[in-house]
Amino acid sequence: MASNTISTESFGIRYGIIAAAAMIAYFLFINVINLQDMEVVRFASNIFILVAVIWAINAYKNRSRGPMPYLPGLAVGFLVGLISSVLYAFFIYVYAKFLNPDYATVLKTQDYYGSVLSPMMLAGAITILGTAVGTMTGYIMMMAYDNSGARTAD
């Protein structure tokens, strides 16, 4: 039974780290080209979570060589979103608090979710949003891989 030896945690951690590295690289890139103050551009970093979840679930499916188990697929999506967003939020917190305190000042003047957030609160918001993106992407992917046989009448 190859599917019993496959760890959802290993896939979640591996692809979560990959997504976090891509998000951090993206953040540094938008800083180089001076777009870090645009909320829409910063929000686009969540695309990396979406791509990593799709990549992780497809890798998990290929490795299991059988029907894709529904709950492990959801777990992979959740873990990728959680790991990547926690690592990215930690980076943003360290960056704004210690590496570039001027950026923390910029963040304090911007309106997130209808209120001004401290770097710690912003890290929490990033974590919640990233986990939601990963979980919902995993849910949608598992709908595509549903092997239950339930079909609607045409």
Side-chain angles (χ1 to χ4, degrees):
M1 291 270 182
S3 63
N4 290 339
T5 61
I6 298 172
S7 167
T8 56
E9 292 86 5
S10 66
F11 278 85
I13 292 169
R14 179 182 311 138
Y15 289 95
I17 290 170
I18 291 169
M23 293 166 74
I24 291 167
Y26 176 76
F27 178 80
L28 295 173
F29 173 73
I30 65 173
N31 274 287
V32 168
I33 61 173
N34 205 24
L35 293 178
Q36 72 274 11
D37 295 335
M38 296 181 62
E39 294 174 37
V40 174
V41 175
R42 281 195 317 262
F43 182 77
S45 67
N46 288 297
I47 297 293
F48 297 109
I49 296 173
L50 186 133
V51 170
V53 169
I54 293 169
W55 191 15
I57 289 176
N58 281 324
Y60 188 92
K61 181 180 183 320
N62 291 337
R63 180 105 180 260
S64 66
R65 295 189 179 118
M68 179 67 183
Y70 197 83
L71 289 178
L74 289 177
V76 168
F78 173 79
L79 286 172
V80 169
L82 179 66
I83 299 294
S84 61
S85 61
V86 165
L87 292 174
Y88 181 63
F90 179 74
F91 169 78
I92 294 296
Y93 176 78
V94 168
Y95 182 83
K97 193 76 172 173
F98 303 109
L99 300 176
N100 188 357
D102 292 336
Y103 186 66
T105 305
V106 170
L107 290 176
K108 287 180 182 177
T109 63
Q110 294 183 354
D111 189 31
Y112 290 97
Y113 310 109
S115 63
V116 175
L117 301 179
S118 69
M120 181 62 91
M121 291 297 291
L122 183 59
I126 290 169
T127 300
I128 291 169
L129 179 62
T131 303
V133 168
T135 303
M136 291 308 297
T137 304
Y139 176 72
I140 292 167
M141 287 294 296
M142 294 319 301
M143 296 301 249
Y145 288 133
D146 184 12
N147 294 324
S148 67
R151 302 282 185 249
T152 58
D154 292 329

